[in-house]
Structure formats: C-alpha cells, structure tokens
Amino acid sequence: MNTLIFTVLAYLIGSISFAVVMSRLFGLSDPRTYGSKNPGATNVLRSGSKKAAIATLVGDAAKGWLAVWLAIRLGPQYGIGDAGVALVAIAVFLGHLWPVFFRFVGGKGVATALGVLLGLNVWLGLATLVTWVVVAYAFRYSSLAALIAAIFAPFYYGLLFGADEILFAVIAMSALLLWRHSANIGNLIAGKESRLGSKAAGAKKK
C-alpha cells in the first residue's frame, strides 16, 4: 500500500506541466499551439523568452528529482526498496508524458528524465547532462542530444551500479523517450528538424 501511495504521488507530481504553467505566468502563448506543439522547455524557448524556458527546464527537472528523492529518503521507513524507487521513477516520468491535469497531453520527458537521474545519483545525472550538452553544442539539435543522452543513460547506470530493478526503470524511460521523439527522428533524417534557438511562428506574448 505504501508503495502504491508513493507511486500515485509521483505521478501527480509529474503531471504538473511547467511549460504550460510558466507560459501563462510569463504571458506567452500556450506551447501546445506553436512550434512542435510539445509542452517542454525547448518549445517554450521558441517563444523567444529565455527566462520562461529556463523556468520550465528547472521546474520539469525538479519534479523528477523531488519524486525520486522522497522515495529514497522517506521510502525505507515505509518498507519501500529499490523496486519501489523504480516504480516512482517511472510514475513521475509517465505523469509528465501523460499529465492528468492537462488532459493527458504532455511533453517528451527530457528534463523530467534528467531530474529522475539526478535524484537517483548525482554523477549519473551529470554524466547524462554532459552528454546532452556536448551533442547539443556540436550539432544544435535538442532532439538529437536527447536521443543520444537517452541511449547512454542506461549504460552509465550499469557502469555505476550494475543490473538491478532501477536499471530496468532507466531503460524503460529511455525507450519511452526515444519513442516520443519518433517524429523528430524522421525530421532529422529529412533535414527538417528545427535547431536550438529558432523562433516558431505563432509563439508570442498575449
């Protein structure tokens, strides 16, 4: 029962879409109406507001970190072990992908996945973040950076901790992230993918 409570709480935390919340606070158009129509930090950046994009990035990462941190810090006293932590990690990520508060229309999960990894282990999260930054800086494609970082995340976890229940959660998140980027993969192959920092039509202040 305690594991179920933590898992449901994690899903609800993940369901807070900071892209939508921050866009409203900054007086911007709904990120689900322009650009990639993805409620995430990269699409919010296409509005031209770097502050809103940074706030979205921090918020989406923080919710992933918080859910996992609560499970690791408070879970043991309620009988929650690695399997429970793995469920919480997946639940907060699923909350971002399909948020109950926003008609189950969510983002692709890059920032939230990063927060989850940082919550599991700082070095794991930093290694994945560095991978994203290097690829993004070299090629200027956020989606490509996310895809490569997602592929390497399970590898990094395996090197640090070996095979356990949480590794399977990391693999599941990576697989879902790759699937959510299927359209981006097509655009990358066709040479139609938008580069970081490009302004999207329809992205404007209200």
Side-chain angles (χ1 to χ4, degrees):
M1 179 59 72
N2 289 331
T3 299
L4 177 62
I5 292 173
F6 271 79
T7 302
V8 172
L9 178 61
Y11 172 77
L12 294 176
I13 292 174
S15 290
I16 302 171
S17 178
F18 281 91
V20 177
V21 172
M22 292 303 167
S23 292
R24 290 175 181 173
L25 290 177
F26 281 85
L28 304 172
S29 299
D30 191 318
R32 296 168 293 182
T33 64
Y34 63 82
S36 65
K37 294 181 172 57
N38 173 61
T42 300
N43 204 38
V44 172
L45 181 61
R46 295 189 178 105
S47 71
S49 175
K50 292 182 180 179
K51 291 182 180 179
I54 291 172
T56 298
L57 177 65
V58 172
D60 282 344
K63 68 185 183 184
W65 173 85
L66 177 62
V68 172
W69 181 85
L70 288 173
I72 292 175
R73 181 59 63 90
L74 303 179
Q77 60 186 297
Y78 295 102
I80 296 174
D82 285 351
V85 172
L87 287 174
V88 164
I90 294 175
V92 69
F93 185 69
L94 292 178
H96 180 81
L97 300 187
W98 294 286
V100 67
F101 303 131
F102 296 91
R103 299 181 180 180
F104 302 101
V105 178
K108 295 177 180 177
V110 177
T112 302
L114 174 61
V116 169
L117 296 177
L118 286 169
L120 292 172
N121 181 269
V122 173
W123 295 112
L124 171 64
L126 288 178
T128 307
L129 176 60
V130 168
T131 302
W132 187 96
V133 170
V134 169
V135 176
Y137 180 80
F139 297 98
R140 305 297 296 172
Y141 288 115
S142 174
S143 56
L144 179 62
L147 290 167
I148 294 177
I151 291 171
F152 274 88
F155 174 72
Y156 293 146
Y157 186 92
L159 282 179
L160 289 169
F161 306 107
D164 58 15
E165 295 95 334
I166 297 176
L167 173 60
F168 291 107
V170 175
I171 291 173
M173 284 195 303
S174 294
L176 283 168
L177 198 148
L178 292 173
W179 173 66
R180 293 286 282 190
H181 281 79
S182 56
N184 301 90
I185 294 173
N187 288 337
L188 285 166
I189 294 173
K192 298 178 180 179
E193 184 72 351
S194 298
R195 292 181 181 270
L196 273 170
S198 60
K199 186 76 177 289
K204 59 184 179 181
K205 289 190 176 183
K206 296 179 179 179

